[in-house]
Amino acid sequence: MCIGIPMQVIAGNDFVAQCERHGEVTSVSLMLVGPQPPGTHLLTHLGSAIRVLDAEEARAIDDALAGLAEAVEGRAFESLFSDLLLREPELPAHLRDN
């Protein structure tokens, strides 16, 4: 399973950004998304930014990752999936009957 990690740009140039997540700073390649200004949220995987995120989506992904960690530890995790609790799951468009 591949997991993308949301991070926030704190500095960078055209090719590499210094990104922060929970106080840890990491160098991230920008080759797939282009230069990004400080404050931009990125979805990263294996040291590369793969997609630009808005703040809400970055928070939802971060909450889901925290929820998985809580579930593994046997602690309450439902509140970290608040975006899923009040709606029915939906199939992606390509799996729906037309």
Side-chain angles (χ1 to χ4, degrees):
M1 177 171 67
C2 299
I3 297 177
I5 305 295
M7 301 189 86
Q8 189 170 25
V9 175
I10 55 175
N13 59 39
D14 288 347
F15 306 106
V16 178
Q18 298 302 309
C19 295
E20 185 270 335
R21 180 171 188 265
H22 300 301
E24 185 175 326
V25 177
T26 304
S27 291
V28 173
S29 169
L30 298 174
M31 297 302 287
L32 297 175
V33 297
Q36 300 297 320
T40 302
H41 294 273
L42 301 171
L43 186 62
T44 67
H45 179 65
L46 297 175
S48 292
I50 57 174
R51 187 161 62 91
V52 175
L53 305 171
D54 63 34
E56 184 177 325
E57 187 176 18
R59 183 203 48 79
I61 293 169
D62 218 20
D63 284 352
L65 292 172
L68 291 173
E70 293 296 308
V72 166
E73 295 293 324
R75 296 189 290 262
F77 60 88
E78 291 83 0
S79 67
L80 295 164
F81 292 96
S82 61
D83 62 319
L84 301 177
L85 291 178
L86 301 176
R87 66 178 175 88
E88 288 293 319
E90 294 180 21
L91 286 173
H94 68 281
L95 295 177
R96 294 182 205 145
D97 290 333
N98 292 328

